[in-house]
Amino acid sequence: MTLFRNYTSTTEAVKHHYYKMRSNQTLEHVNRLNHKYLDFSRKMDFWDIIKQLEDFVDVSDPDITLPNAQHLYQTAEKIREDNLPDWLQLVGLIHDMGKIIFKWGNDLDGTTIQEQWSIVGDTFIVGCQLPTECVYPEFNVNNPDMKHPIYNTKYGIYKPKCGLDNTKIAFGHDEYLYQMLLHNKTNLPIEALYIIRYHSLYPWHSGNAYQHLTNEHDVKMLEWVKKFNKYDLYTKSNKIFNLDDLKVYYNKLVFKYFNNNTLLDW
Ligand code: FE
Ligand code: FE
């Protein structure tokens, strides 16, 4: 069996990505990018976005170098094959669509194909101490917030057990898509929205960090995040799907959960 997320033999590009992400994603950076990117002023078709993700290869992923669109088809199709709820199949198809911000991003923000450190990669909470459960924990000291008298404390700006929804997380495709779905008033269940918002928060869902900040709701949702994560990771392969074949089936789900509409605000 292939070992996934093995960072010991990974490329320099992955490591360099994490160095930049950890060094630049401060509380101030996250506030600035939330303000700048969560405006949803573009009307774009759902299937156009999927198509455009054929141009995006995730530099932080040590496992695969396929375009993101293929990863979305593979994830969704495996969830469908296992007869899981249709909304979870749709989560498989859409969970990484937030990466589309590379189309209107810039290098300084880390939102382009060349500079992806505000789009992809395992996320972490900003405004409090960075945990050792982060991938490449040796880069934690490079984050300027770790010299701040409050941000470098266990709780930082947060109250004990405040819940993940009350924290601020490194900016990337998770938060972008979560906010986009709220903005477009979809009919997706809260489990779906939750999975999308936290699927990259590996220090928490896989490393067990942040137990002092999570609440009962997070504990309840964790099993869904973990269930989804298996499909996000272990469906990666070089099997190529054709969009036209899949569209017939998934368009029904898009209509069901997106109010009979594929034209959305991005
Ligand atoms: Fe993702
Ligand atoms: Fe993914």
Side-chain angles (χ1 to χ4, degrees):
M1 190 191 151
T2 329
L3 184 61
F4 286 94
R5 290 178 58 80
N6 178 1
Y7 287 93
T8 52
S9 62
T10 202
T11 62
E12 268 311 296
V14 176
K15 192 169 180 183
H16 193 55
H17 168 85
Y18 276 105
Y19 172 77
K20 286 186 284 193
M21 186 179 184
R22 207 71 47 76
S23 310
N24 289 300
Q25 291 249 13
T26 59
L27 178 61
E28 197 206 322
H29 174 85
V30 171
N31 285 335
R32 188 174 67 79
L33 265 64
N34 281 341
H35 186 74
K36 183 172 174 179
Y37 285 86
L38 305 178
D39 70 333
F40 312 115
S41 55
R42 297 164 187 82
K43 276 258 179 259
M44 288 163 83
D45 187 76
F46 180 93
W47 296 108
D48 270 355
I49 303 274
I50 295 263
K51 259 245 151 304
Q52 295 195 49
L53 285 168
E54 285 175 3
D55 298 334
F56 189 87
V57 175
D58 184 333
V59 74
S60 74
D61 191 334
D63 302 324
I64 204 157
T65 51
L66 272 183
N68 221 252
Q70 286 298 331
H71 164 60
L72 294 177
Y73 308 154
Q74 288 170 3
T75 310
E77 282 290 88
K78 188 72 186 132
I79 295 171
R80 179 183 171 193
E81 204 183 295
D82 287 357
N83 272 315
L84 287 160
D86 65 352
W87 62 263
L88 196 64
Q89 299 170 25
L90 189 58
V91 167
L93 185 70
I94 70 178
H95 74 281
D96 281 341
M97 283 178 91
K99 294 177 185 176
I100 196 64
I101 57 170
F102 82 92
K103 282 282 170 185
W104 50 88
N106 70 68
D107 287 347
L108 283 174
D109 290 342
T111 49
T112 57
I113 292 207
Q114 297 74 34
E115 299 289 336
Q116 302 185 9
W117 46 267
S118 297
I119 303 180
V120 301
D122 298 4
T123 52
F124 47 86
I125 299 177
V126 294
C128 66
Q129 211 161 56
L130 283 162
T132 50
E133 289 85 354
C134 286
V135 63
Y136 299 115
E138 65 270 30
F139 293 151
N140 287 355
V141 293
N142 298 94
N143 189 296
D145 282 355
M146 294 305 98
K147 294 188 180 68
H148 189 281
I150 295 166
Y151 307 161
N152 190 29
T153 59
K154 183 176 175 190
Y155 288 95
I157 59 172
Y158 306 112
K159 300 228 157 39
K161 301 273 173 195
C162 62
L164 291 181
D165 285 348
N166 290 310
T167 64
K168 284 191 176 158
I169 297 186
F171 188 81
H173 67 285
D174 296 35
E175 184 67 12
Y176 175 81
L177 188 67
Y178 169 75
Q179 296 292 347
M180 178 275 175
L181 295 168
L182 287 189
H183 172 90
N184 283 280
K185 301 193 171 43
T186 70
N187 307 313
L188 286 164
I190 52 163
E191 289 83 359
L193 298 172
Y194 191 96
I195 291 168
I196 286 161
R197 194 176 199 184
Y198 300 111
H199 75 273
S200 301
L201 194 60
Y202 277 87
W204 168 63
H205 67 66
S206 297
N208 241 355
Y210 301 126
Q211 296 304 314
H212 55 296
L213 295 175
T214 51
N215 62 15
E216 271 171 46
H217 180 62
D218 297 314
V219 174
K220 237 179 32 213
M221 292 291 128
L222 179 62
E223 62 173 300
W224 281 107
V225 177
K226 282 184 174 292
K227 192 188 212 33
F228 175 77
N229 185 245
K230 281 200 327 229
Y231 291 93
D232 194 7
L233 284 185
Y234 302 113
T235 56
K236 286 174 184 171
S237 75
N238 290 315
K239 184 171 170 191
I240 299 290
F241 287 97
N242 179 290
L243 175 58
D244 295 329
D245 299 343
L246 299 178
K247 219 167 149 174
V248 181
Y249 176 78
Y250 287 101
N251 204 40
K252 289 190 198 111
L253 300 189
V254 176
F255 263 63
K256 177 175 175 185
Y257 289 103
F258 289 78
N259 308 304
N260 297 311
N261 190 16
T262 60
L263 201 61
L264 305 163
D265 295 340
W266 293 88

